[in-house]
Each structure stands twice: as C-alpha cells, then as structure tokens.
Amino acid sequence: MRKPALSDEILLTVEKPARYIGNEVNSVKKDPRKAEIRFCICFPDVYEIGMSHLGIQILYDMFNKREDVYCERVYSPWPDLHKIMKEQQIPLFALETQEPVKDFDFLGITIQYEMCYTNILQILDLSQIPMLAKDRGTDMPFVIGGGPCVYNPEPLADFFDLFYIGEGEISYDALFELYKDWKASKASRQEFLRKAAQIPGIYVPSLYQVSYQEDGTIADFSPIEEGIPAKVEKQIVLDMTEATYPTKPLVPFLKATQDRVVLEIQRGCIRGCRFCQAGMIYRPTREKNVERLKRQASAMLQNTGYEEISLSSLSSSDYTGLKELVTWLMEEFKEKGVNISLPSLRIDAFSLDVMSKVQDIKKSSLTFAPEAGSQRLRNVINKGLTEEVILEGAAEAFAGGWQKVKLYFMLGLPTETLEDQEAIAELANEIAVRYYEIPKEQRNGKCQITISTSFFVPKPFTPFQWAKMYPKEHYLDCARTVNEAVKNQLNRKSIRYNWHEADVTVLEGILARGDRRLGAAVLRAYEKGCLFDAWSDFFDNRIWMDAFAETGIDPEFYTLRERSLDEMFPWDFIDAGVTKEFLIREYQNALKEHVTKNCRMQCSGCGVGKYQGGVCVEDKN
C-alpha cells in the first residue's frame, strides 16, 4: 500500500485536499519498479484546470499503453499548500504513487498560457529540481515542455532541457527508445541531449546560441555544434482516425472546468483569422472518421459515468460529418439523459437547428464571436463574417426562441479606429433591434445581450506577429469608448458590457514574443512572489515591472514596437508549416483590408501542403 506524501494533519488544513490524493476513476496503477521509464506529466495550474486539459489526457493514456513507461501526474499546489511544502521542505510528488517528482526520468510540462510561466518555476522549485537546466546533474529528470506556447519557447529556454514542437503522438516513442539506450550506456547528460536534438520536433535550447544587434534585435540564432539541425520542424498527426485517444479518461474527484466527456472531432481550422495562433500552427485541418467517433463516444460515456459530451474543435461547424454525428448522438443518448455540448459553432441555419434540438433554449445563450464591430475591421482580421450574416443569424436564433446572446470582441487590433470601437456597441444594438422586431406575444421575455472584450495580443506564427501593442492606458481608453457607446444605444437596457484586464494583456504580449533574455525576469518575478498570474486574485503587475527593472529588461521594447518585415524573430528556427512569406502576404492583405478565402474555397498557398494530408488542397490540383 502506498504511503501518502502528505499527512492527514496537513491535508485537513488546506483547501480542497482531494486535489492531492490521486486514485481517481480510470487512473493508471502500475508497479513503478517494473517501469524502465518514469514520466511525470504536469499542467502548471491548479488541479481543476489541469484535469480539464485534453492534451494531458491523450499523452497519459498513450504513454501508459507502453509496458516500459509509467506516466503519472502533478499539478500546481494551491498557495496554501505551497507555503507548507516550502516551510517543511516536502518535495512535490506525483499523484499516482505519491513519490517525489525529482526521482522520475522525465518531467513533462504542458505550456498552454504565458501567464503560467511562474507556476512552471513553482513546479521545479517545490520538486527540488534546480530551476536552471544548466545546474541539473545526472540524477535529475529531464524537463521537457510542450503545448502551444512552445512555438516561442525562448523566454523559458533557461529552465527546460528539451521542448517538443508539435503534436505529442509522433516523436515520443523515439525519445523513449533513445533514453533507454542512453541509460544503459551510462553516457553524459549532454550526450543524451545531443542525440535527442536529432529527433524530429525536439528542440534543445542549450545547443543553440543567440547574438544581438546594437538595437536589441536578434542578429543570429544558430546551433553551437555540427549535427544539430538549424530548423526544428513541428510534428503533426495526419491520420486522426487511427490516432490514439483515451476511451477511459480520468474522472476528477472535484468539479473540473470541463466536467464532461470531450470528443475531439478534428484538428486545425480552415478559416485563416489573422489574429489566431491556433488556426495557423494546427494547420492543415484533419478530420476524424464519424464511425470512429461514435465508438469512442459510447466507450467514454460508459467508462466515466458522465452525462454530458462535448465536441472539441476549433470550428465545429466546418466538420463535414457534424450533422450525421450529432443526429446519431441525439438518437443514441437523448433517452439516457446525456446532454450534448457544441462549442465553436458558426451561427448559421444548420447550427441553430442542431442547437435547438440539443439545448434548453430558455436556459441557454448563444455565442457569437464577431471579434470586431465594423465590417472594415472584420476584413482586416479576415474574420469571414459580414454584418448581414451576423444579423440574419441573430434573427433566426430569436425566431427559434433564444433571447440571450453573448458577443466576443477584441480591442487594440491593427488599424483599429475610434469608429471601429463604437461599432461594437452599434452592432449589439442592431442585434437587439432584430429581437424586438418579433411580435411581443412571440418573444421569450426580455432580450439579454452581453458584450465581452479582450485586448489583442499578437502571437508568433500569425500574420499579426509584426504588429505593435499599446500601453495599458490605451486599452482602457478603448474599453471606456465602448462603454460610453453602449450607453448611447437605444436598446442599452438590454446590453451588458465586460472587459478584460489590461495589465495582464501587456504582460502576455511581452512573454508571447519575447526572447531568452526574458528568462532572468521570469525567475526574478517568481523569487519576488509571483504565482498563479492567470488568476486575477493573485496577479500583481507591480512585482513584474520591478522584476523587469531589476534584470535590465525594457518591456516597451517587446510591446510598443512594430517589427520590420526583415527582423529575425526568436522563433524563426521553428518550421510550423506556414511559411513566413505567406504570413507577410497576409499581413499586407490585412493592411489593404483584403479578405482571404477559407481553405475549402481556395488555396492561399500557406505552405502546409507539404504534409500531404487533411483538407489542404495545395499542390493537389
């Protein structure tokens, strides 16, 4: 019987002790002594958030299908337990065996959001693993990072031994076989890293050097020795139908953010929104076979006891088998009380018809994401939505019985004007007008429209990666403009407005496009107390600004500067499929307000045709 890492006395003093005990439904139990490789997989946020992450569920299932690997999990301890572990020098432990993370062979950290960077250092610190990779000896685990943020891993380069660029299903088997050979050979830690760097998709930051121009921009980025690839190519699964997928996903003890079965129907997106990193880095769009999805849905519901199933995709409406799949799910599970959740739908006649069958219209709200208020700015960002389509979709929804609408927009977009900001309120008002055009006796109560605005952050591998950001005061001025415009609308009583925090946006932008010089500031911020920065209750912008000042970093260098088209980016060594030439072309199209058609309508020559898969039509004509 395993020995708990925390005593009952400690567990009784912390909030939600179930976060730390493991033993959930479908957790994997193996004899750790028989495993040749111990892998601890980590989501650097609280348990309830981490347990909702699909990528970890996939890797956990995939790794544990190997007899020679035992994969366990760890999440960020909440501040109450963090304090106790530091004071009592209790090493951070994996949930399955309650054994110290520092005794594993690998610590794999998924990096989903820039505001979790200090939590990564928390994981290393509490694990009693040296935070700087250069300080780790042969008795320490190899720390490997994955996830969307590793498409610019440089701000974290000092802390990781390796990064995995792309989708995890491809190269981990090769990495594990290399590790077993290396372990048997008793070679140096550096020798393993040298050989790992030659596996497709693996980036070892210590094997590359950076030099800078006098103005602070990058002059050169290159390997420090022969045999190390100058480019690291992202790895992607081309056959989604045959790809591994967990039919016995972990079921948390606590209510998680995504407390339901998640069925991944496709990866990628055909739309080409110029602000969207996921839409670029996950190209090409790859669909999963409907029959396979039906089998997976049945097995997952049976193995979890959940009463809700959510279809996961960047744009579910674009999945060609959606009608067949949803119809089958409704017929198969509706009588069993299973709810069907359909996020990421475009509001068209088909989607509304489907949603009317699977949702309680009186309780549910519809979500539109126009992203920009004016048609001009929607053309700039290549949203592919006209005002007519938005208003007609709203009218159909209202006629179908809906009364609640959520609208999502961004502020601070490239070329944005005062008129574009005011157009957000005007569009919301026009949607309300469509509702009140319905005869009173046919309405379902009062119309409720909620506007939410976030502030735009330019991300790597998007056409807007060259765009500048603004000071936080500018973002707040934008929000005030929208707020005042809402007050001036005829239907203002039907409209509610919320906006995002500006400080967080600016910091996210710094970390998203930063270089490896930022590592010192991230470390200093953690040492000064920054933790759970993604949580508004804990985020302290003042500490971050002090950390930048103490490490000689000028935040404005990373935000208030439009990049020249020939500037070398910190992430230019990564081949993400989309070419820089395509991204430049799309940036120029944005400035001209030109719309680029989606991938099914016309190939835009983005470069991912080389993968020879998915819905991509490039090079197939």
mmCIF file of all heavy atoms in Angstrom, residues 111-135:
data_model
loop_
_atom_site.group_PDB
_atom_site.id
_atom_site.type_symbol
_atom_site.label_atom_id
_atom_site.label_comp_id
_atom_site.label_asym_id
_atom_site.label_seq_id
_atom_site.Cartn_x
_atom_site.Cartn_y
_atom_site.Cartn_z
ATOM 1 N N ILE A 111 2.582 23.683 -21.722
ATOM 2 C CA ILE A 111 2.627 25.145 -21.553
ATOM 3 C C ILE A 111 1.535 25.746 -22.424
ATOM 4 O O ILE A 111 1.712 26.000 -23.616
ATOM 5 C CB ILE A 111 4.016 25.704 -21.928
ATOM 6 C CG1 ILE A 111 5.118 24.832 -21.310
ATOM 7 C CG2 ILE A 111 4.154 27.139 -21.445
ATOM 8 C CD1 ILE A 111 6.504 25.149 -21.795
ATOM 9 N N GLN A 112 0.394 25.966 -21.811
ATOM 10 C CA GLN A 112 -0.808 26.354 -22.532
ATOM 11 C C GLN A 112 -0.990 27.859 -22.612
ATOM 12 O O GLN A 112 -1.625 28.374 -23.512
ATOM 13 C CB GLN A 112 -2.025 25.721 -21.828
ATOM 14 C CG GLN A 112 -3.297 25.654 -22.652
ATOM 15 C CD GLN A 112 -3.225 24.637 -23.777
ATOM 16 O OE1 GLN A 112 -2.380 23.764 -23.775
ATOM 17 N NE2 GLN A 112 -4.116 24.764 -24.755
ATOM 18 N N TYR A 113 -0.426 28.586 -21.628
ATOM 19 C CA TYR A 113 -0.728 30.012 -21.487
ATOM 20 C C TYR A 113 0.466 30.702 -20.852
ATOM 21 O O TYR A 113 1.052 30.209 -19.885
ATOM 22 C CB TYR A 113 -1.981 30.155 -20.610
ATOM 23 C CG TYR A 113 -2.491 31.551 -20.367
ATOM 24 C CD1 TYR A 113 -2.395 32.538 -21.341
ATOM 25 C CD2 TYR A 113 -3.104 31.878 -19.156
ATOM 26 C CE1 TYR A 113 -2.889 33.816 -21.102
ATOM 27 C CE2 TYR A 113 -3.607 33.152 -18.914
ATOM 28 C CZ TYR A 113 -3.492 34.115 -19.885
ATOM 29 O OH TYR A 113 -3.977 35.379 -19.668
ATOM 30 N N GLU A 114 0.827 31.869 -21.405
ATOM 31 C CA GLU A 114 2.008 32.587 -20.932
ATOM 32 C C GLU A 114 1.912 32.955 -19.453
ATOM 33 O O GLU A 114 2.934 33.048 -18.761
ATOM 34 C CB GLU A 114 2.210 33.864 -21.756
ATOM 35 C CG GLU A 114 2.655 33.631 -23.187
ATOM 36 C CD GLU A 114 1.497 33.330 -24.144
ATOM 37 O OE1 GLU A 114 0.332 33.290 -23.680
ATOM 38 O OE2 GLU A 114 1.748 33.132 -25.345
ATOM 39 N N MET A 115 0.712 33.170 -18.955
ATOM 40 C CA MET A 115 0.565 33.599 -17.573
ATOM 41 C C MET A 115 0.788 32.465 -16.567
ATOM 42 O O MET A 115 0.637 32.659 -15.363
ATOM 43 C CB MET A 115 -0.806 34.248 -17.356
ATOM 44 C CG MET A 115 -1.078 35.428 -18.288
ATOM 45 S SD MET A 115 0.263 36.637 -18.361
ATOM 46 C CE MET A 115 0.221 37.255 -16.703
ATOM 47 N N CYS A 116 1.146 31.293 -17.061
ATOM 48 C CA CYS A 116 1.500 30.176 -16.171
ATOM 49 C C CYS A 116 3.011 30.021 -16.013
ATOM 50 O O CYS A 116 3.467 29.062 -15.374
ATOM 51 C CB CYS A 116 0.912 28.866 -16.702
ATOM 52 S SG CYS A 116 -0.885 28.751 -16.540
ATOM 53 N N TYR A 117 3.801 30.938 -16.568
ATOM 54 C CA TYR A 117 5.254 30.747 -16.563
ATOM 55 C C TYR A 117 5.839 30.678 -15.150
ATOM 56 O O TYR A 117 6.733 29.866 -14.873
ATOM 57 C CB TYR A 117 5.947 31.852 -17.367
ATOM 58 C CG TYR A 117 5.818 31.686 -18.872
ATOM 59 C CD1 TYR A 117 5.047 30.661 -19.424
ATOM 60 C CD2 TYR A 117 6.447 32.554 -19.755
ATOM 61 C CE1 TYR A 117 4.917 30.510 -20.796
ATOM 62 C CE2 TYR A 117 6.334 32.400 -21.136
ATOM 63 C CZ TYR A 117 5.561 31.389 -21.649
ATOM 64 O OH TYR A 117 5.435 31.240 -23.015
ATOM 65 N N THR A 118 5.346 31.509 -14.223
ATOM 66 C CA THR A 118 5.896 31.428 -12.872
ATOM 67 C C THR A 118 5.449 30.141 -12.174
ATOM 68 O O THR A 118 6.151 29.642 -11.282
ATOM 69 C CB THR A 118 5.496 32.650 -12.019
ATOM 70 O OG1 THR A 118 4.076 32.834 -12.072
ATOM 71 C CG2 THR A 118 6.192 33.910 -12.524
ATOM 72 N N ASN A 119 4.305 29.593 -12.569
ATOM 73 C CA ASN A 119 3.893 28.308 -11.997
ATOM 74 C C ASN A 119 4.814 27.175 -12.425
ATOM 75 O O ASN A 119 4.983 26.191 -11.699
ATOM 76 C CB ASN A 119 2.449 27.986 -12.405
ATOM 77 C CG ASN A 119 1.442 28.689 -11.517
ATOM 78 O OD1 ASN A 119 1.452 29.911 -11.411
ATOM 79 N ND2 ASN A 119 0.590 27.920 -10.861
ATOM 80 N N ILE A 120 5.417 27.302 -13.607
ATOM 81 C CA ILE A 120 6.404 26.310 -14.043
ATOM 82 C C ILE A 120 7.594 26.315 -13.080
ATOM 83 O O ILE A 120 8.091 25.257 -12.673
ATOM 84 C CB ILE A 120 6.851 26.605 -15.486
ATOM 85 C CG1 ILE A 120 5.692 26.346 -16.461
ATOM 86 C CG2 ILE A 120 8.079 25.764 -15.865
ATOM 87 C CD1 ILE A 120 5.955 26.826 -17.874
ATOM 88 N N LEU A 121 8.024 27.508 -12.692
ATOM 89 C CA LEU A 121 9.139 27.595 -11.743
ATOM 90 C C LEU A 121 8.721 27.084 -10.369
ATOM 91 O O LEU A 121 9.533 26.507 -9.637
ATOM 92 C CB LEU A 121 9.648 29.035 -11.659
ATOM 93 C CG LEU A 121 10.201 29.615 -12.965
ATOM 94 C CD1 LEU A 121 10.923 30.934 -12.701
ATOM 95 C CD2 LEU A 121 11.142 28.641 -13.644
ATOM 96 N N GLN A 122 7.455 27.279 -10.014
ATOM 97 C CA GLN A 122 6.954 26.701 -8.764
ATOM 98 C C GLN A 122 7.096 25.180 -8.763
ATOM 99 O O GLN A 122 7.536 24.579 -7.782
ATOM 100 C CB GLN A 122 5.481 27.071 -8.561
ATOM 101 C CG GLN A 122 4.857 26.441 -7.318
ATOM 102 C CD GLN A 122 3.360 26.181 -7.442
ATOM 103 O OE1 GLN A 122 2.849 25.935 -8.540
ATOM 104 N NE2 GLN A 122 2.646 26.239 -6.329
ATOM 105 N N ILE A 123 6.708 24.560 -9.886
ATOM 106 C CA ILE A 123 6.791 23.098 -10.007
ATOM 107 C C ILE A 123 8.241 22.639 -9.812
ATOM 108 O O ILE A 123 8.526 21.696 -9.052
ATOM 109 C CB ILE A 123 6.261 22.631 -11.375
ATOM 110 C CG1 ILE A 123 4.769 22.941 -11.523
ATOM 111 C CG2 ILE A 123 6.543 21.143 -11.589
ATOM 112 C CD1 ILE A 123 3.859 22.157 -10.620
ATOM 113 N N LEU A 124 9.175 23.301 -10.474
ATOM 114 C CA LEU A 124 10.590 22.935 -10.348
ATOM 115 C C LEU A 124 11.094 23.165 -8.925
ATOM 116 O O LEU A 124 11.796 22.331 -8.344
ATOM 117 C CB LEU A 124 11.423 23.739 -11.346
ATOM 118 C CG LEU A 124 11.146 23.475 -12.833
ATOM 119 C CD1 LEU A 124 11.913 24.471 -13.697
ATOM 120 C CD2 LEU A 124 11.505 22.050 -13.213
ATOM 121 N N ASP A 125 10.738 24.310 -8.362
ATOM 122 C CA ASP A 125 11.193 24.683 -7.027
ATOM 123 C C ASP A 125 10.686 23.695 -5.976
ATOM 124 O O ASP A 125 11.471 23.149 -5.178
ATOM 125 C CB ASP A 125 10.695 26.099 -6.720
ATOM 126 C CG ASP A 125 11.212 26.641 -5.405
ATOM 127 O OD1 ASP A 125 12.211 26.110 -4.888
ATOM 128 O OD2 ASP A 125 10.613 27.604 -4.882
ATOM 129 N N LEU A 126 9.379 23.429 -5.984
ATOM 130 C CA LEU A 126 8.819 22.517 -4.995
ATOM 131 C C LEU A 126 9.284 21.074 -5.222
ATOM 132 O O LEU A 126 9.339 20.280 -4.278
ATOM 133 C CB LEU A 126 7.289 22.574 -5.009
ATOM 134 C CG LEU A 126 6.640 23.886 -4.544
ATOM 135 C CD1 LEU A 126 5.125 23.766 -4.560
ATOM 136 C CD2 LEU A 126 7.124 24.285 -3.153
ATOM 137 N N SER A 127 9.614 20.738 -6.468
ATOM 138 C CA SER A 127 10.143 19.400 -6.758
ATOM 139 C C SER A 127 11.586 19.247 -6.316
ATOM 140 O O SER A 127 12.137 18.144 -6.348
ATOM 141 C CB SER A 127 10.046 19.102 -8.262
ATOM 142 O OG SER A 127 8.717 19.102 -8.695
ATOM 143 N N GLN A 128 12.208 20.372 -5.924
ATOM 144 C CA GLN A 128 13.624 20.401 -5.528
ATOM 145 C C GLN A 128 14.531 20.009 -6.696
ATOM 146 O O GLN A 128 15.563 19.358 -6.546
ATOM 147 C CB GLN A 128 13.855 19.513 -4.291
ATOM 148 C CG GLN A 128 13.040 19.969 -3.091
ATOM 149 C CD GLN A 128 13.077 19.037 -1.904
ATOM 150 O OE1 GLN A 128 13.853 18.080 -1.892
ATOM 151 N NE2 GLN A 128 12.262 19.290 -0.885
ATOM 152 N N ILE A 129 14.089 20.425 -7.896
ATOM 153 C CA ILE A 129 14.876 20.293 -9.114
ATOM 154 C C ILE A 129 15.478 21.667 -9.404
ATOM 155 O O ILE A 129 14.747 22.667 -9.376
ATOM 156 C CB ILE A 129 13.985 19.857 -10.304
ATOM 157 C CG1 ILE A 129 13.389 18.472 -10.051
ATOM 158 C CG2 ILE A 129 14.762 19.880 -11.615
ATOM 159 C CD1 ILE A 129 12.312 18.073 -11.062
ATOM 160 N N PRO A 130 16.768 21.779 -9.659
ATOM 161 C CA PRO A 130 17.340 23.093 -9.980
ATOM 162 C C PRO A 130 16.543 23.785 -11.088
ATOM 163 O O PRO A 130 16.225 23.170 -12.101
ATOM 164 C CB PRO A 130 18.764 22.756 -10.433
ATOM 165 C CG PRO A 130 19.092 21.488 -9.712
ATOM 166 C CD PRO A 130 17.798 20.717 -9.656
ATOM 167 N N MET A 131 16.224 25.056 -10.864
ATOM 168 C CA MET A 131 15.363 25.748 -11.832
ATOM 169 C C MET A 131 16.080 26.002 -13.154
ATOM 170 O O MET A 131 15.449 26.009 -14.210
ATOM 171 C CB MET A 131 14.820 27.035 -11.224
ATOM 172 C CG MET A 131 13.711 26.761 -10.211
ATOM 173 S SD MET A 131 12.849 28.233 -9.640
ATOM 174 C CE MET A 131 13.892 28.727 -8.296
ATOM 175 N N LEU A 132 17.375 26.209 -13.115
ATOM 176 C CA LEU A 132 18.135 26.405 -14.341
ATOM 177 C C LEU A 132 18.629 25.058 -14.864
ATOM 178 O O LEU A 132 19.247 24.280 -14.127
ATOM 179 C CB LEU A 132 19.310 27.340 -14.102
ATOM 180 C CG LEU A 132 18.944 28.767 -13.684
ATOM 181 C CD1 LEU A 132 20.195 29.570 -13.370
ATOM 182 C CD2 LEU A 132 18.124 29.462 -14.775
ATOM 183 N N ALA A 133 18.365 24.790 -16.141
ATOM 184 C CA ALA A 133 18.718 23.492 -16.733
ATOM 185 C C ALA A 133 20.210 23.210 -16.605
ATOM 186 O O ALA A 133 20.618 22.059 -16.404
ATOM 187 C CB ALA A 133 18.276 23.462 -18.196
ATOM 188 N N LYS A 134 21.031 24.243 -16.694
ATOM 189 C CA LYS A 134 22.492 24.054 -16.667
ATOM 190 C C LYS A 134 22.991 23.544 -15.316
ATOM 191 O O LYS A 134 24.110 23.032 -15.208
ATOM 192 C CB LYS A 134 23.201 25.358 -17.036
ATOM 193 C CG LYS A 134 23.024 26.486 -16.046
ATOM 194 C CD LYS A 134 23.740 27.759 -16.515
ATOM 195 C CE LYS A 134 23.534 28.912 -15.558
ATOM 196 N NZ LYS A 134 24.086 28.699 -14.234
ATOM 197 N N ASP A 135 22.146 23.670 -14.278
ATOM 198 C CA ASP A 135 22.552 23.255 -12.939
ATOM 199 C C ASP A 135 22.132 21.833 -12.587
ATOM 200 O O ASP A 135 22.385 21.359 -11.475
ATOM 201 C CB ASP A 135 21.955 24.210 -11.891
ATOM 202 C CG ASP A 135 22.516 25.619 -12.016
ATOM 203 O OD1 ASP A 135 23.636 25.769 -12.540
ATOM 204 O OD2 ASP A 135 21.816 26.575 -11.602
#
